[in-house]
Amino acid sequence: MRIRIGARTDVGQVRSHNEDRYLTDDPLFAVADGMGGHQGGEVASRIALETLGGLHRQDGDGLDLREAVRLANRAVLDRATRDQDLEGMGTTLTALRAEGSRVRLAHVGDSRAYLLRDRELRQLTEDHTLVHRMVQEGKLTQEEAEIHPHRSILTRALGVDPELTVDQGSQDVEPGDRILLCSDGLTSMVDEAGITDILAEHENPQSAADRLIDAANAAGGQDNITVLVLDFLDEAAGEAPAGAEGAPEPQRRGVRWWRLALWTLLVLVLLGGAALGTRAWIDTQWFVGTSEGGRVALYQGIPREVFGYRLYEPVEETDILAVEAATAARGWERLPEGITAGSEREAREVIEQIRRDIEAMEEDGPGP
Ligand code: MG
């Protein structure tokens, strides 16, 4: 089967660096979402995908995808142990290899693979997150999980442990199928109904990828966003889809102008209300971060500076050392970037969770 590709990665609206990365080396495709202070996240996702790509070029059809992800994990760990600045870096990795009428998947973390068939979206991967585990255990509903302040805390990632459990799967594909690989910067901003609509509406995979990124940014773009759209086409179909796609263009262009007008109006309204609205909105936001004294602290606002102007104010400094928090549990290494919460109460819950994790570490020694 022939594959038509749409791909894009974007820094989003809040982060200063893009730590996401993707690989398109037909028939191998992958998305990696890096994390870790300094340049760690960018380095981790780059090493993971370079290792995977290198093994693919070396082994070709003989590539063992799961083993390749394990080797990528070792490569990230090796680099982290050699360079103190990169200690604690990690990355997700969701990789897909097309083999005729089926695809193989290898997956670690909270990036996702979806199949769109007959306008229905089905998730092919399982999130390795704390909240997903809590949903499975019946402690949270799916709806609560999607807005939970801890939703980005991973239970599995590359760069943590030399022995990594890698999920493996396979899926039959038919002509007309569309597969989406994406980082959580998309799925935390746009719900599955929204993703389905965009994928079903845009026949060109690059347009679909572009619109998904636009939607995540319009919803706040709180994280880096990466999207790969893979269309599986009949080999014999030749270039026919391009012609078919041209046909409804006049109508589509009409729709686009209408949309452009709406967007322009929206932007003007937003700019008009920006001075008052933004400030009022910022005052309702909370996050947990690191104080100048290196302690875990509660902040009001959003963890960002604009033209040197801070969009946050410290509210309370705790006695918890940030370095201690970072080693207590996976996820807390993101403290320097700020862990956002929906309310003051949720932010204080995050601090209590950090306290409990440190207590648990002191009792049990460092976790796995
Ligand atoms: Mg992310």
Side-chain angles (χ1 to χ4, degrees), residues 15 20 33-34 92 110-111 152 183-185 188 223-225 334:
R15 302 283 171 90
D20 282 5
D33 174 354
T92 73
D110 66 351
S111 301
S152 59
S183 65
D184 69 327
S188 62
D223 194 3
N224 307 143
I225 314 146
R334 295 195 188 188

Side-chain angles (χ1 to χ4, degrees), residues 15-17 19 34-45 80 83-91 290 326 330-338:
R15 302 283 171 90
S16 57
H17 299 279
E19 302 180 326
M35 64 209 79
H38 301 282
Q39 306 296 310
E42 285 162 270
V43 177
S45 55
D83 188 339
Q84 211 174 359
D85 267 358
L86 300 174
E87 207 185 316
M89 70 176 176
T91 185
T290 308
R330 184 110 207 122
W332 304 136
E333 79 281 353
R334 295 195 188 188
L335 271 168
E337 302 160 27

